[in-house]
């Protein structure tokens, strides 16, 4: 019944719209107009709307920054993240003026040069000088951005010097949870593969490998010591996942059949970040950021950054693989 | 006698409207099919926006449209993914590739270069019918057991290869791959035809530098398609092998559903390379026709020559060239060699240069023009705005160091919807408003067009601009709901706002649908050259005739952009503010290098 009423209502609306249009067109023809030509009045209105839109668009942009600016990620909790954020700000310094200036020209010209039968458009088909200018200026700006970008990229992607003190953690993704394994006292991760997965050995660690014995497998949360480089190795046992740690400006895909890696130095403990964000419940998280199945939206693990002492105390409490 | 006569007429109908080999009819077939698919894609997006704006709430519309995909009006999580997958597939390939190129390349290439029809009318017909079959298969896949493909429109294996990983990777995925293989065949048939026609069938005097920019854009688009679509076909074929015949091109070391799979030695990264080797040029396959269409419209409606014709052509070529060597920027965080990442960052950011040149040239074309705001012109100006707004954020995403933290977040969704989705659909709308009289011999209603444009652009920015903020806050895309993370709890009002804009935008498209059908059937009849334009299609009669021009094909004597050309006394050369391409140069007139 509701559907029937809805259909009838839609039909009536369409019919009345058709009739209204017909009447409007007959009216215009009666007045001797070519009815599909944009009238002077319409053209003026549209020109004015160009200006209105320009202002409204900028106002909307500003309103969003004002309203949502403080929802953005807090200051970076990793060493390289500071570089990332600086690069982002440099890029903003380029693109926001470009965005604003080109929009002003675009809509201002549209408004200013609306049709006027007393005026002739200027036949201006090219100017090598102008075109050269606006090829060269973006080229220079981009050279700067590319240089900044590539030097940051190289810095971020350089692996941890294995001679120096660091923490080695393997993170394994599967539908829809994360497991992690710490390298233990020998600093080496034992062999692992899907063929070894059995019962409690969900990460598929090879029991026979000497290096496996002191490895420590943890679930639910990982702990990181502040100020110490952390080398992550990522694996996946089913589909592609992505280990995303937004507060550390860190992300790397977890690909079945391939080991990937990422490293960073955490710089702010969880406790300090609670104060910075003014949020007692704040927690660093690792979340999945590559479509991986029905429960992709809920695949997370907590990350706790703490002092080196607390971290070592926590790690000592974790069982070695051989003990299981 | 009368019986045979009747029979004859029936055949005429069949070959005129259904199995037509006439480019003008095929163009309309592409347009209608493309828009129908686009409408379905839009409804899908509105439904999943309801879920994102009001997670877990029950809606009558979700219940009505999704049926078994949604229990009690709440969609299932894997069906949410099915919807985003099909929305992406439909919009990118069916609306903005086949719908856009298929419509306007077909309509405009013969008419603007001065040809009787496409080089091969038969292949052209096949191109449409392959597309049609592909459309049907893709739609059927929505109704099969397990649901349609659900691995995202990028269908990365192993998710797309294993039905154990997600239900949509069963029959739904098989049909997706079959439909896409046929789609690619359609696209190749079309593209080859476009290239051959443009290179060989230009009328006398139509040198390459006299071609309207539309034709340049269609030509380069077709070349890009021919180069890159076969690679997607091979990617799809290998995936079919992995799925059905036990090969391991993309699969290795997989433990799922309690057992180790026998696949070994493959790499999903290979698929990503093959996919994006098409996937990135695809962005420009979608975008370039829109840029070509709007270049033509901006010039015509500003009553001014397009500024920097040669620079515009060079930019199209440069963008196309660069677009095939940047695909790796979709893969910065796949663990690829950092050096390779650096190379892709370099090539990617270079695209900003030809893009910037195009924007500046558009703006300079408006400068000191005499602008008539037809709905087509409004959408063209809208395109320049979206091309800028979405383009500048590309400098963030294309920079590998910055991409790490916003890769696959809503920032990406905002970026590509604005720069590619909105720009391309604005270009398509502009094209339809502008060439509607060429298609149907009637005019669309301006007033409805004005409302359509303004509501659409306001809502479009309302939908996609806030997504940048979500992305910068670390919200991943393709999440069924953000409510599982306390971190994202205060984002809910952003999502609500976006959803409201999406709903209004969707309803605003009904204005267009109404205007389209009303005008096609009842609209005022068009004159031969309603926009007082220079290009060749407006010298053809309003009524469609096979062969386009009665008698000889006109000869071309000048480029397509002699608008408001004045002599030394400051008077219009032709007495009007435009000169058709078929008018010979005056005795003292310079050709401006064209």
């Amino acid at each position: 019944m509701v559907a029937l009423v809805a259909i009838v209502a839609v039909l009536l609306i369409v019919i009345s719209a058709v009739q209204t249009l017909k009447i409007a067109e007959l009216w215009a023809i009666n007045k001797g107009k070519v009815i599909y030509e944009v009238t002077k009045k319409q053209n003026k209105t549209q020109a004015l709307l160009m200006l209105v839109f320009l202002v409204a668009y900028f106002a909307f942009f500003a309103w969003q920054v004002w309203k949502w600016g403080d929802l953005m990620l807090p200051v970076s909790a990793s060493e390289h993240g500071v570089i990332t954020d600086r690069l982002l700000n440099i890029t903003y310094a380029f693109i926001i003026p470009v965005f604003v200036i080109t929009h002003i020209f675009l809509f201002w010209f549209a408004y200013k040069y609306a049709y006027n039968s007393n005026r002739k458009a200027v036949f201006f088909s090219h100017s090598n000088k102008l075109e050269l200018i606006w090829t060269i200026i973006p080229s220079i700006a981009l050279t700067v951005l590319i240089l900044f970008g590539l030097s940051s990229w190289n810095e971020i992607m350089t692996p941890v010097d294995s001679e120096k003190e660091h923490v080695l953690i393997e993170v394994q993704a599967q539908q829809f949870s994360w497991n992690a394994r710490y390298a233990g006292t020998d600093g080496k991760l034992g062999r692992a593969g899907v063929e070894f997965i059995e019962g409690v050995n969900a990460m598929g660690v090879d029991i026979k490998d000497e290096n496996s014995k002191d490895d420590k497998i943890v679930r639910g949360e990982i702990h990181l010591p502040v100020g110490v480089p952390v080398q992550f190795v990522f694996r996946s046992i089913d589909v592609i996942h992505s280990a995303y740690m937004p507060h550390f400006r860190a992300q790397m895909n977890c690909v079945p059949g391939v080991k990937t890696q990422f490293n960073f130095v955490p710089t702010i403990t969880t406790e300090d970040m609670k104060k910075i964000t003014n949020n007692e419940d704040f927690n660093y998280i690792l979340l999945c950021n590559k479509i991986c199945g029905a429960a992709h939206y809920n695949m997370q693990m907590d990350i706790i950054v703490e002092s080196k002492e607390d971290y070592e105390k926590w790690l000592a409490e974790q069982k070695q693989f051989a003990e299981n | 006698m009368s019986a045979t006569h009747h029979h004859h007429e029936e055949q005429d109908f069949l070959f005129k409207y259904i199995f037509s080999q006439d480019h003008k009819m095929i163009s309309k077939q592409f347009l209608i099919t493309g828009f129908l698919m686009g409408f379905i894609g839009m409804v899908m997006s509105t439904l999943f926006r309801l879920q994102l704006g009001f997670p877990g709430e029950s809606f009558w519309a979700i219940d009505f449209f999704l049926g078994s995909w949604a229990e009690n009006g709440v969609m299932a999580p894997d069906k949410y993914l099915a919807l985003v997958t099909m929305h992406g597939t439909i919009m990118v390939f069916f609306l903005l590739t086949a719908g856009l190129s298929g419509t306007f390349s077909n309509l405009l290439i013969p008419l603007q270069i001065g040809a009787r029809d496409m080089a091969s009318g038969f292949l052209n017909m096949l191109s449409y019918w392959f597309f049609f079959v592909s459309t049907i298969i893709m739609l059927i896949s929505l109704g099969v057991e397990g649901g349609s493909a659900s691995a995202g429109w990028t269908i990365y294996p192993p998710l797309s290869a294993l039905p154990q990983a997600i239900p949509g990777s069963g029959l739904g995925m098989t049909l997706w791959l079959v439909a896409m293989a046929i789609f690619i065949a359609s696209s190749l048939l079309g593209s080859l035809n476009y290239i051959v026609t443009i290179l060989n069938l230009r009328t006398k005097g139509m040198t390459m530098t006299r071609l309207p920019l539309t034709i340049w854009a269609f030509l380069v688009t077709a070349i890009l398609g021919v180069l890159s679509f076969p690679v997607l076909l091979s990617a799809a074929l290998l995936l079919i092998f992995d799925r059905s015949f036990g090969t391991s091109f993309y699969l290795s070391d997989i433990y799922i559903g309690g057992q180790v799979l026998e696949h070994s030695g493959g790499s999903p990264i290979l698929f990503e390379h093959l996919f994006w080797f098409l996937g990135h040029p695809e962005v420009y396959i979608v975008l370039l026709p829109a840029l070509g269409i709007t270049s033509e419209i901006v010039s015509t409606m500003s009553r001014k020559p397009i500024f920097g014709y040669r620079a515009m052509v060079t930019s199209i070529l440069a963008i196309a060239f660069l677009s095939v060597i940047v695909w790796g920027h979709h893969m910065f965080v796949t663990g690829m060699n950092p050096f390779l990442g650096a190379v892709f960052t370099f090539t990617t950011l270079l695209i900003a240069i030809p893009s910037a040149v195009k924007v500046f040239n558009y703006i300079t074309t408006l400068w000191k023009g005499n602008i008539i705001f037809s709905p087509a012109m409004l959408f063209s100006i809208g395109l320049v705005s979206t091309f800028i707004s979405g383009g500048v954020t590309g400098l963030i995403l294309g920079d590998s160091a910055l991409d790490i933290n916003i890769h696959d977040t809503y920032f990406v969704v905002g970026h590509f919807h604005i720069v590619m989705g909105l720009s391309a659909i604005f270009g398509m709308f502009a094209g339809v408003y502008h060439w509607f009289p060429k298609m149907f011999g009637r005019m669309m209603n301006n007033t409805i067009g004005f409302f359509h444009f303004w509501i659409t652009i306001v809502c479009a920015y309302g939908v996609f601009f806030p997504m940048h903020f979500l992305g910068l806050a670390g919200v991943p895309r393709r999440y069924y709901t953000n409510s599982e993370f306390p971190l994202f709890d205060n984002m809910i009002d952003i999502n609500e706002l976006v959803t409201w804009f999406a709903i209004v935008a969707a309803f605003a498209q009904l204005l267009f649908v109404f205007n389209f059908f009303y005008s096609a059937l009842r609209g005022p009849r068009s004159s031969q050259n309603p926009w007082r334009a220079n290009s060749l299609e407006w010298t053809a009669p309003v009524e469609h005739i096979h062969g386009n021009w009665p008698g000889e094909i006109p000869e071309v004597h000048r480029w397509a952009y002699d608008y408001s050309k004045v002599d030394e006394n400051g008077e219009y050369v032709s007495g009007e503010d435009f000169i058709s391409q078929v008018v010979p140069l005056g005795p003292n007139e310079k050709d401006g290098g064209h």
Side-chain angles (χ1 to χ4, degrees):
Chain A
M1 189 59 205
V2 178
L4 192 70
V5 173
I7 290 169
V8 172
V10 169
L11 273 179
L12 284 177
I13 291 171
V14 171
I15 291 169
S16 58
V18 170
Q19 295 309 325
T20 318
L21 263 185
K22 271 280 151 203
I23 292 168
E25 283 170 6
L26 287 174
W27 183 265
I29 290 169
N30 222 11
K31 283 174 133 184
K33 286 180 187 161
V34 183
I35 50 176
Y36 51 77
E37 268 184 8
V38 180
T39 64
K40 248 185 200 170
K41 206 175 136 203
Q42 282 175 330
N43 216 51
K44 259 193 173 156
T45 315
Q46 296 308 311
L48 198 64
L49 283 173
M50 288 283 153
L51 218 49
V52 173
F53 180 78
L54 175 68
V55 176
Y57 189 22
F58 286 161
F60 182 52
F61 180 36
W63 177 78
Q64 291 175 90
V65 175
W66 169 76
K67 177 109 175 141
W68 300 326
D70 52 354
L71 296 184
M72 302 303 95
L73 290 169
V75 11
S76 170
S78 69
E79 241 171 43
H80 79 268
V82 178
I83 304 173
T84 313
D85 289 357
R86 194 184 59 205
L87 181 61
L88 187 61
N89 287 330
I90 292 171
T91 312
Y92 283 150
F94 276 99
I95 65 175
I96 293 177
V98 169
F99 166 75
V100 170
I101 292 167
T102 49
H103 266 88
I104 290 175
F105 278 125
L106 175 67
F107 287 105
W108 173 251
F109 287 168
Y111 164 75
K112 186 152 191 273
Y113 298 108
Y115 192 81
N116 178 345
S117 52
N118 300 324
R119 199 162 50 80
K120 285 189 176 72
V122 173
F123 188 89
F124 182 46
S125 64
H126 76 110
S127 151
N128 289 341
K129 201 167 124 195
L130 270 182
E131 287 165 75
L132 212 59
I133 289 173
W134 58 55
T135 309
I136 290 173
I137 291 179
S139 305
I140 295 170
L142 282 166
T143 310
V144 175
L145 280 184
I146 289 173
L147 288 177
F148 266 114
L150 291 186
S151 72
S152 310
W153 171 248
N154 288 336
E155 217 164 308
I156 294 167
M157 298 312 284
T158 311
V160 173
D161 183 352
S162 56
E163 302 291 304
K164 284 193 183 148
E165 184 197 9
H166 70 278
V167 178
L168 177 61
I169 306 175
E170 180 191 61
V171 172
Q172 178 194 277
Q174 67 185 79
Q175 284 184 332
F176 298 95
S177 61
W178 301 94
N179 297 308
R181 178 162 64 124
Y182 285 71
T185 42
D186 63 356
K188 283 179 187 151
L189 288 163
R191 219 156 71 90
V194 288
E195 63 273 26
F196 303 110
I197 296 176
E198 205 185 358
V200 290
N201 187 4
M203 285 187 81
V205 179
D206 183 1
I207 306 164
K208 292 187 187 117
D209 189 345
E210 275 303 307
N211 292 331
S212 310
K213 299 231 155 84
D214 64 340
D215 291 356
K216 293 182 165 179
I217 293 176
V218 299
R219 291 196 84 164
E221 60 182 42
I222 53 173
H223 290 231
L224 308 176
V226 69
V228 179
V230 183
Q231 178 70 54
F232 284 97
V233 177
F234 298 102
R235 284 200 300 137
S236 163
I237 59 164
D238 40 40
V239 301
I240 302 177
H241 301 269
S242 187
Y244 181 35
M245 296 169 266
H247 301 102
F248 304 99
R249 316 293 189 257
Q251 176 167 211
M252 185 49 69
N253 287 172
C254 312
V255 186
V258 184
K259 274 185 189 161
T260 55
Q261 52 181 342
F262 198 90
N263 68 84
F264 62 80
V265 185
T267 51
I268 301 173
T269 63
T270 303
E271 285 308 311
D272 287 344
M273 198 52 126
K274 283 180 178 170
K275 283 173 207 143
I276 292 173
T277 56
N278 216 356
N279 175 4
E280 256 315 293
D281 304 318
F282 178 85
N283 229 343
Y284 292 121
I285 47 167
L286 165 67
L287 43 89
C288 183
N289 196 17
K290 182 63 80 187
I291 179 172
C292 67
H296 170 53
Y297 66 93
N298 188 10
M299 178 168 162
Q300 49 183 312
M301 181 162 72
D302 287 343
I303 302 172
I304 287 135
V305 180
E306 55 201 359
S307 68
K308 220 172 136 190
E309 297 75 44
D310 288 344
Y311 162 76
E312 273 160 6
K313 210 171 117 198
W314 170 83
L315 193 62
E317 287 166 9
Q318 307 303 313
K319 275 189 189 161
Q320 291 192 347
F321 184 65
E323 294 171 77
N324 283 321
Chain B
M1 185 69 206
S2 73
T4 36
H5 185 74
H6 183 72
H7 177 74
H8 187 69
E9 279 215 324
E10 232 178 30
Q11 213 177 26
D12 265 352
F13 176 84
L14 192 70
F15 284 96
K16 187 171 176 200
Y17 293 103
I18 312 292
F19 295 104
S20 171
Q21 297 191 21
D22 187 288
H23 71 101
K24 301 181 288 295
M25 183 55 67
I26 294 175
S27 139
K28 284 193 238 179
Q29 292 172 333
F30 268 109
L31 180 67
I32 304 278
T33 317
F35 267 145
L36 272 178
M37 287 300 269
F39 200 79
I40 294 170
M42 184 188 73
V43 171
M44 287 175 166
S45 66
T46 316
L47 295 177
F48 64 67
R49 271 317 318 176
L50 280 177
Q51 159 64 21
L52 288 170
F54 311 96
E57 279 180 44
S58 172
F59 286 96
W60 171 85
I62 292 180
D63 190 47
F64 177 78
F65 283 107
L66 295 183
S68 66
W69 285 19
E71 224 162 286
N72 305 322
V74 183
M75 66 183 69
D78 69 307
K79 295 302 178 270
Y80 167 83
L81 294 178
L83 282 177
V84 294
T85 301
M86 295 307 279
H87 165 78
T89 305
I90 287 174
M91 291 308 201
V92 170
F93 293 113
F94 289 77
L95 176 65
L96 296 178
T97 303
L100 181 55
S101 272
T103 304
F104 290 103
S105 295
N106 266 311
L107 178 72
L108 295 179
I109 288 175
L111 281 168
Q112 287 194 333
I113 67 169
R116 296 273 180 218
D117 204 317
M118 284 288 173
S120 168
F122 181 70
L123 287 189
N124 210 20
M125 177 188 78
L126 278 190
S127 165
Y128 174 72
W129 282 102
F130 272 76
F131 170 56
F132 184 76
V133 170
S134 160
T135 305
I136 298 297
I137 296 176
M138 198 55 95
L139 290 178
I140 287 174
S141 85
L142 290 168
V144 299
E145 175 85 37
S148 66
S150 314
W153 79 280
T154 54
I155 57 152
Y156 285 178
L159 185 61
S160 61
L162 308 171
Q164 305 97 303
I166 194 164
S169 289
L171 183 56
M173 192 66 225
T174 305
L175 291 178
W176 192 98
L177 289 166
V178 171
M180 280 312 297
I182 298 172
F183 179 92
I184 292 166
S186 149
S187 166
L188 291 177
L189 288 171
S191 296
L192 288 171
N193 225 341
Y194 306 152
I195 296 170
V196 172
T197 309
I198 294 171
L199 294 182
N200 289 319
L201 296 186
R202 280 168 288 129
T203 183
K204 199 173 171 204
M206 183 63 91
T207 57
M208 293 303 273
T209 51
R210 283 180 183 166
L211 286 176
L213 287 171
T214 35
I215 301 298
W216 270 106
F218 298 149
L219 174 66
V220 176
T221 303
I223 293 172
L224 272 183
V226 168
L227 290 177
S228 55
F229 263 118
V231 180
L232 180 66
L233 182 62
S234 61
L237 288 179
L238 297 187
L239 185 53
I240 290 173
F241 272 75
D242 272 12
R243 288 167 49 83
S244 307
F245 306 118
T247 57
S248 303
F249 292 106
Y250 306 132
L251 306 176
S252 190
D253 300 272
I254 293 169
Y255 176 93
I256 195 164
Q259 56 176 354
V260 179
L261 301 188
E262 295 202 354
H263 298 280
S264 146
S267 168
I269 304 298
L270 170 64
F271 178 85
E272 294 188 25
H273 279 293
L274 293 176
F275 181 87
W276 287 113
F277 190 83
L278 160 91
H280 199 80
E282 172 65 20
V283 170
Y284 294 95
I285 289 173
V286 160
L287 194 55
L288 288 178
L291 293 176
I293 286 169
T294 48
S295 300
E296 178 70 22
I297 294 171
V298 164
S299 169
T300 306
M301 302 320 271
S302 300
R303 316 308 294 163
K304 261 191 78 185
I306 189 78
F307 182 78
Y309 175 90
R310 281 193 160 76
M312 290 299 246
V313 173
T314 314
S315 305
I316 291 176
L317 293 171
I319 288 174
F321 171 72
L322 288 171
S323 80
V324 284
I325 50 169
V326 297
W327 78 90
H329 68 222
H330 298 271
M331 300 168 60
F332 285 140
V333 295
T334 54
M336 67 152 75
N337 187 318
F339 174 71
L340 205 52
V343 173
F344 280 122
T345 297
F346 178 68
T347 53
T348 301
L349 295 194
L350 285 187
I351 288 197
I353 299 170
S355 306
V357 169
K358 285 196 90 74
V359 166
F360 295 140
N361 286 2
Y362 271 121
I363 293 176
T364 315
T365 305
L366 294 180
W367 179 72
K368 294 204 171 175
N370 223 353
I371 302 167
I372 301 161
F373 293 103
S374 67
M377 183 61 172
L378 293 178
F379 274 104
S380 303
I381 294 173
L383 171 138
V384 181
S385 169
T386 56
F387 190 54
I388 300 168
S389 306
V392 290
T393 52
L395 291 177
I396 296 177
L397 286 161
D399 196 331
S400 50
L402 295 176
D403 183 64
I404 294 170
N405 205 50
I406 44 174
H407 185 88
D408 265 334
T409 65
Y410 265 93
F411 194 90
V412 181
V413 183
H415 161 75
F416 76 75
H417 273 100
I418 293 177
V419 77
M420 164 179 135
L422 291 184
S423 298
I425 194 68
F426 280 17
M428 192 164 172
F429 280 137
V432 172
Y433 279 108
H434 194 76
W435 281 289
F436 195 83
K438 206 70 242 169
M439 286 187 187
F440 297 98
R442 293 171 186 268
M443 306 296 291
M444 290 184 84
N445 183 286
N446 285 331
T447 312
I448 303 179
F450 296 146
F451 278 101
H452 176 222
F453 170 72
W454 288 110
I455 300 173
T456 302
I457 191 168
V458 167
C459 291
Y461 278 132
V463 169
F464 298 117
F465 213 111
M467 288 187 183
H468 297 105
F469 291 85
L470 289 175
L472 291 169
V475 180
R477 68 193 284 207
R478 291 168 174 157
Y479 268 25
Y480 169 66
T481 166
N482 300 325
S483 52
E484 297 300 323
F485 291 85
L487 178 66
F488 304 140
D489 276 350
N490 41 15
M491 312 282 167
I492 189 67
D493 59 334
I494 304 184
N495 270 317
E496 258 180 52
L497 182 73
V498 167
T499 299
W500 279 115
F501 274 120
I503 293 170
V504 178
F507 277 104
Q509 303 317 305
L510 293 176
L511 291 174
F512 176 78
V513 174
F514 174 75
N515 198 355
F516 185 91
F517 286 108
Y518 171 82
S519 306
L521 301 172
R522 292 280 192 92
R525 294 202 184 275
S526 150
S527 61
Q528 190 180 15
N529 189 0
W531 312 119
R532 297 180 296 137
N534 292 343
S535 43
L536 216 49
E537 74 272 28
W538 305 109
T539 62
V542 179
E543 300 77 35
H544 284 181
I545 52 169
H546 201 66
N548 295 338
W549 285 272
E552 294 277 295
I553 299 179
E555 187 181 338
V556 165
H557 298 279
R558 57 178 76 234
W559 72 332
Y561 298 105
D562 274 341
Y563 289 105
S564 301
K565 199 175 186 183
V566 288
D567 56 22
E568 53 273 24
N569 306 322
E571 293 301 321
Y572 289 133
V573 172
S574 62
E576 288 178 295
D577 61 356
F578 69 107
I579 315 170
S580 172
Q581 280 188 282
V582 298
V583 176
L585 288 180
N588 300 319
E589 202 186 340
K590 291 195 185 91
D591 68 355
H594 293 275

